[in-house]
Amino acid sequence: MSTQQNTPAPSPSAGQEKPGRIATLAALNALEGAALVIGGVYMLAVGLFGRPDSLQQAEMGGLTLVALGLIPLLAARGLLLRRSWSRGPALITQLMALPVAWTLLRSQGGLIPLGIVLAAVAVTGLVLVLDPATTKALGIRGPRTTPDA
């Protein structure tokens, strides 16, 4: 009679050392997620305690930013745990950041430096998430090839 333990299955590359690019990608996603959540909480606070143009827009905008901030935060956690599913949300986060960065870069004044930073973070995140070594470290297999018949 053998005893079976209910332990979660380790990720495909659990025995290997975690590449630095995974930690960097996770940190970038966490940074973006935290920025979204902070922005959302700020919008909620302005909506509740300030004098917004539209209370309803401030509250919905704040809740939307908080909800959107959870996506990269969950992706960052999944990346640190080397879960293959985390690559998709991490990629989507970087792709969504690019038009926001472009809009900030086309604005005036103090938003331009923020656009430069966001663009640099998004491009760096894209390079890291699309790197074949990242794919391998997350245990994602490439496309299957079939033998010629």
Side-chain angles (χ1 to χ4, degrees), residues 53-111:
D53 293 335
S54 169
L55 176 64
Q56 205 171 24
Q57 282 183 343
E59 289 174 352
M60 278 310 297
L63 288 174
T64 301
L65 283 180
V66 169
L68 286 174
L70 294 177
I71 295 169
L73 289 173
L74 289 172
R77 186 174 184 329
L79 287 166
L80 288 175
L81 296 173
R82 288 189 285 174
R83 303 291 188 238
S84 60
W85 61 262
S86 63
R87 185 174 182 245
L91 176 64
I92 290 169
T93 298
Q94 305 319 313
L95 291 174
M96 287 174 37
L98 289 174
V100 175
W102 177 253
T103 302
L104 292 172
L105 288 169
R106 299 205 50 194
S107 66
Q108 297 178 357
L111 295 177

Side-chain angles (χ1 to χ4, degrees), residues 34-54:
L36 285 167
V37 169
I38 290 168
V41 169
Y42 174 77
M43 283 183 72
L44 283 170
V46 166
L48 294 173
F49 305 115
R51 297 177 189 248
D53 293 335
S54 169

